[in-house]
Amino acid sequence: MSKNSSGNMVRARKVTDVIVHLFLAVLAIIWVIPIVWVFAESFNKNTAPYASTFFPEEYTFDNYVALFTDKTVLNFPRMFINTFIIACFTCVISVVFVLFVSYSLSRLRFRFRKVYMNIALILGMFPGIMAVVAIYFILKAMGLTQGWTTNIALIIVYSAGSGMGFYVMKGFMDTIPISLDEAAILDGCTRWQVFTKIILPISKPMIVYQSIVSFLTPWLDFVLAKAIARTQEHYTVSLGLWKMLQKEYIYDWFARFAAGAVCVSIPIAILFILMQRYYQESMSGAVKG
């Protein structure tokens, strides 16, 4: 290959890299602008939804103060606590369900194992919103749609189907050599000891991934919460933010809505920052499986 052709290839590669990086930079700016705007709007002194400028002209911290102190119209702190409790319980229950189902399908061999996996795969293709009406009437028949039992109903709904989402966890466990299990059994370990002493420590990255997913599901969900939670006393943060945009509240609560959106995103950001390393490890393991 001549020097001219080699130089042309290098220049073409550099031009391509510049174009790709410029394109990615533009996409990054487009992605960041709404986040910056919401953050700036949360400090806007003007509470109305319409303004003549893109960024606020006057800034104040009153929106955050009023969001957590003014409980006469919308009790956002109560909604925040409701969501946090539901998310924590759902996270624990879902992780346990997924671990048990994944371990059983990865390590044990029994009748209808493949049938169950195929059924779970097919059912996973249908959106959960299709079952909202049926879920509501089942919970209503059980007396779980009134009073304090609403939170229990939401925890049950978010946790009940978590075992069906075993494919990623199972894919990770399939990468763990079965020889480890066999060696432990030869040393006198039971299946439960193999699960707790060997599988769980190795699956730590995947457990972190599943914890993040299980926590975010109730934290961000709107449809199921809207169908089950009928009173503001049992609203989650997604319903509270939606309520702030209703026509009777929007002129006084729009800036507080932005403040609430920022507050809702803080636990998610902290969770991802703390778990980012484990999250990347778990995804690479799942792809490998």
Side-chain angles (χ1 to χ4, degrees):
M1 182 181 295
S2 64
K3 292 184 178 179
N4 290 335
S5 60
S6 178
N8 292 334
M9 290 179 62
V10 172
R11 284 193 294 269
R13 190 179 298 112
K14 289 182 179 179
V15 171
T16 303
D17 290 342
V18 170
I19 294 175
V20 170
H21 282 82
L22 286 176
F23 177 72
L24 293 177
V26 172
L27 291 181
I29 293 173
I30 295 174
W31 182 78
V32 168
I33 284 178
I35 300 175
V36 174
W37 180 83
V38 170
F39 183 76
E41 184 64 25
S42 67
F43 295 97
N44 194 352
K45 191 173 183 179
N46 178 20
T47 60
Y50 306 107
S52 58
T53 58
F54 185 80
F55 289 108
E57 297 178 347
E58 297 182 83
Y59 292 85
T60 179
F61 200 72
D62 293 343
N63 296 321
Y64 287 93
V65 175
L67 186 67
F68 287 95
T69 57
D70 185 4
K71 305 177 184 178
T72 56
V73 180
L74 294 175
N75 193 344
F76 185 80
R78 179 63 179 270
M79 300 173 190
F80 195 93
I81 293 174
N82 286 341
T83 311
F84 185 77
I85 293 174
I86 294 170
C88 289
F89 276 96
T90 301
C91 178
V92 174
I93 297 173
S94 298
V95 169
V96 172
F97 282 179
V98 172
L99 280 171
F100 286 169
V101 174
S102 301
Y103 177 76
S104 300
L105 295 175
S106 176
R107 288 299 194 263
L108 305 180
R109 296 296 181 266
F110 50 88
R111 294 182 62 186
F112 304 114
R113 173 177 170 272
K114 291 186 177 180
V115 174
Y116 171 78
M117 294 174 62
N118 291 333
I119 292 175
L121 180 63
I122 294 173
L123 292 178
M125 297 178 182
F126 296 92
I129 193 174
M130 296 176 61
V132 171
V133 176
I135 290 173
Y136 171 76
F137 282 106
I138 291 173
L139 294 173
K140 185 176 181 181
M142 297 172 61
L144 296 176
T145 57
Q146 299 292 333
W148 62 273
T149 58
T150 301
N151 288 348
I152 296 178
L154 288 172
I155 293 173
I156 292 174
V157 170
Y158 291 132
S159 304
S162 58
M164 302 291 281
F166 61 85
Y167 272 96
V168 179
M169 179 76 79
K170 177 186 175 297
F172 186 90
M173 288 185 179
D174 286 343
T175 64
I176 303 174
I178 299 180
S179 58
L180 295 177
D181 302 35
E182 296 172 345
I185 292 174
L186 288 175
D187 288 338
C189 291
T190 62
R191 284 286 185 182
W192 175 253
Q193 290 174 324
V194 171
F195 176 68
T196 56
K197 303 295 184 181
I198 297 176
I199 301 299
L200 289 187
I202 297 176
S203 302
K204 182 180 177 181
M206 198 63 228
I207 295 173
V208 172
Y209 160 77
Q210 187 63 43
S211 300
I212 293 174
V213 174
S214 302
F215 184 87
L216 292 183
T217 298
W219 195 264
L220 302 176
D221 177 68
F222 173 82
V223 177
L224 287 173
K226 183 67 175 67
I228 297 173
R230 294 293 181 171
T231 60
Q232 288 191 26
E233 184 180 0
H234 304 100
Y235 272 9
T236 59
V237 288
S238 59
L239 295 178
L241 294 178
W242 167 76
K243 198 71 175 179
M244 293 177 191
L245 297 180
Q246 300 299 299
K247 60 182 180 180
E248 61 266 32
Y249 302 118
I250 190 169
Y251 286 96
D252 296 325
W253 284 78
F254 187 75
R256 298 186 200 180
F257 162 81
V262 173
C263 292
V264 168
S265 65
I266 289 175
I268 300 174
I270 294 175
L271 191 64
F272 269 95
I273 291 173
L274 294 177
M275 303 298 184
Q276 184 178 14
R277 177 167 62 91
Y278 299 107
Y279 184 84
Q280 292 173 347
E281 291 178 3
S282 65
M283 290 308 294
S284 63
V287 172
K288 179 182 177 182

